[in-house]
Amino acid sequence: MTGKTNLTMLLTAAAVLASSGAWAAGVDQKLHDMLPEKIKSAGEIKVGTEPQTPPYDFYGEDNKTIVGLERELRDEMGTRLGVKFTDVPAQFASIIPGIQAGRFDMGMSAFGDFAEREKIVDVVNYMLEGTSIIVLEGNPKGVHKLKDACGLNAGAVQGSIPLQLLDKQKTLCPADKPLNVMQFPSNDQIKIALQSGRVDLSMDTTGVAAYSLQHQPAGGKKLELVTGTQYAVGYQAMLVGKESPQLRDALAATMQSMIADGSYAKIFEKWGLGENKLDKVTINDAARFADYMKLD
């Protein structure tokens, strides 16, 4: 099957089956039958991934085993599809060429969906990712949206999307409440500036920030993520070669079944990424977030 019309039919069917209890533990034959013959024969799906992006894909305590939200999603998909997802560690920039060359069946490594990317691979969108505000625990300055930053000091990493967002907000603040934007070489330095009171807020990728803040060292002042508002929001996705529409649709339908029966949500909540969940899987849908840098 190809095209958005067929995808809608597949996802609707998946939702109906899931709600009726069809997704019991183990292989779902309907999903398995959607896979290309070469995947069925091999019994595995080779996944290009860079395990350096916690909480999505990273090495566990043994420095060998890949763990993370995306790894757990693959494990659940593998159970339903009846195949093994085999991770193949690779440099991020080499994954798309590897898919095109046939070294990987798919890529899953915190990939975003962009219009230019859709021209060379098919993009299966399974979650949102964005940029969130970080403040001192208790949010003493009452920052809930970027417009609340007017009159305060903000920090961002040099050359980052958060810096672009804060610079844009700076132009919107009134003259009597200017936003002072400070640039830092790294997020670690911004954390120190927040804890010392040198800056009142910062911004970072939501998923990375959520994981980092969940694992703050004991002692010292704590930081927290401002929930309910994200900026520079877009999709995070699985990538599949243009010549593999069957695999693409099987992955989409399987992930939708996980959304429908709640297993998807449990994985996201476990990793502190409940803000990033989707209700519906989409394919090649970058146009939805064309206004990427929109503020409040």
Side-chain angles (χ1 to χ4, degrees):
M1 293 184 180
T2 59
K4 290 186 178 180
T5 300
N6 287 333
L7 173 65
T8 300
M9 295 173 62
L10 289 169
L11 299 186
T12 300
V16 171
L17 288 169
S19 64
S20 66
W23 305 112
V27 180
D28 184 276
Q29 194 61 44
K30 290 184 175 65
L31 291 175
H32 179 80
D33 289 346
M34 294 175 66
L35 291 169
E37 287 302 323
K38 70 173 185 176
I39 296 293
K40 294 177 186 176
S41 298
E44 70 171 353
I45 297 173
K46 294 181 180 178
V47 184
T49 189
E50 183 182 48
Q52 305 292 337
T53 53
Y56 302 114
D57 294 280
F58 62 105
Y59 288 114
E61 294 182 359
D62 62 2
N63 292 317
K64 295 179 180 179
T65 305
I66 296 177
V67 299
L69 176 137
E70 290 188 332
R71 178 65 253 182
E72 292 193 15
L73 290 173
R74 292 193 290 275
D75 287 341
E76 181 64 25
M77 287 193 293
T79 297
R80 295 166 191 241
L81 286 166
V83 296
K84 178 183 179 182
F85 282 75
T86 301
D87 290 337
V88 184
Q91 292 184 345
F92 187 83
S94 72
I95 295 176
I96 291 178
I99 294 171
Q100 294 175 302
R103 293 194 300 274
F104 312 127
D105 298 307
M106 62 175 287
M108 194 174 185
S109 192
F111 281 104
D113 184 2
F114 308 107
E116 291 302 311
R117 184 166 281 166
E118 291 176 1
K119 294 177 182 178
I120 56 176
V121 290
D122 279 337
V123 185
V124 181
N125 302 302
Y126 72 91
M127 68 172 282
L128 294 175
E129 183 54 288
T131 301
S132 290
I133 301 169
I134 302 170
V135 297
L136 201 62
E137 188 175 51
N139 198 358
K141 300 291 185 178
V143 179
H144 301 286
K145 294 185 177 182
L146 263 185
K147 62 184 180 181
D148 298 330
C150 294
L152 302 177
N153 297 313
V157 173
Q158 296 166 349
S160 67
I161 292 295
L163 179 61
Q164 293 180 44
L165 289 166
L166 287 167
D167 280 342
K168 186 175 180 180
Q169 179 59 49
K170 183 177 180 178
T171 67
L172 303 177
C173 290
D176 62 337
K177 294 183 66 178
L179 169 60
N180 178 36
V181 180
M182 304 169 65
Q183 299 185 36
F184 294 82
S186 70
N187 277 313
D188 287 342
Q189 293 187 25
I190 296 176
K191 290 176 184 178
I192 295 172
L194 276 166
Q195 291 167 331
S196 68
R198 186 180 173 196
V199 300
D200 304 303
L201 69 139
S202 67
M203 300 187 77
D204 197 4
T205 302
T206 302
V208 175
Y211 184 81
S212 174
L213 297 181
Q214 279 185 333
H215 295 81
Q216 295 182 81
K221 293 184 177 180
K222 296 290 193 298
L223 307 178
E224 68 179 46
L225 204 64
V226 175
T227 60
T229 304
Q230 287 183 319
Y231 301 88
V233 173
Y235 287 119
Q236 192 156 299
M238 300 175 279
L239 308 185
V240 182
K242 289 289 187 182
E243 75 289 347
S244 300
Q246 287 179 282
L247 176 58
R248 176 199 69 195
D249 290 348
L251 293 172
T254 303
M255 189 71 77
Q256 189 66 43
S257 76
M258 292 161 56
I259 292 173
D261 70 10
S263 57
Y264 166 99
K266 288 180 181 179
I267 294 172
F268 274 75
E269 296 297 339
K270 171 184 174 179
W271 289 97
L273 293 170
E275 294 271 309
N276 293 14
K277 299 193 304 291
L278 280 177
D279 293 326
K280 183 179 180 181
V281 176
T282 65
I283 289 176
N284 297 334
D285 194 28
R288 176 184 171 189
F289 295 106
D291 193 5
Y292 188 66
M293 298 297 288
K294 182 179 179 181
L295 300 183
D296 299 317

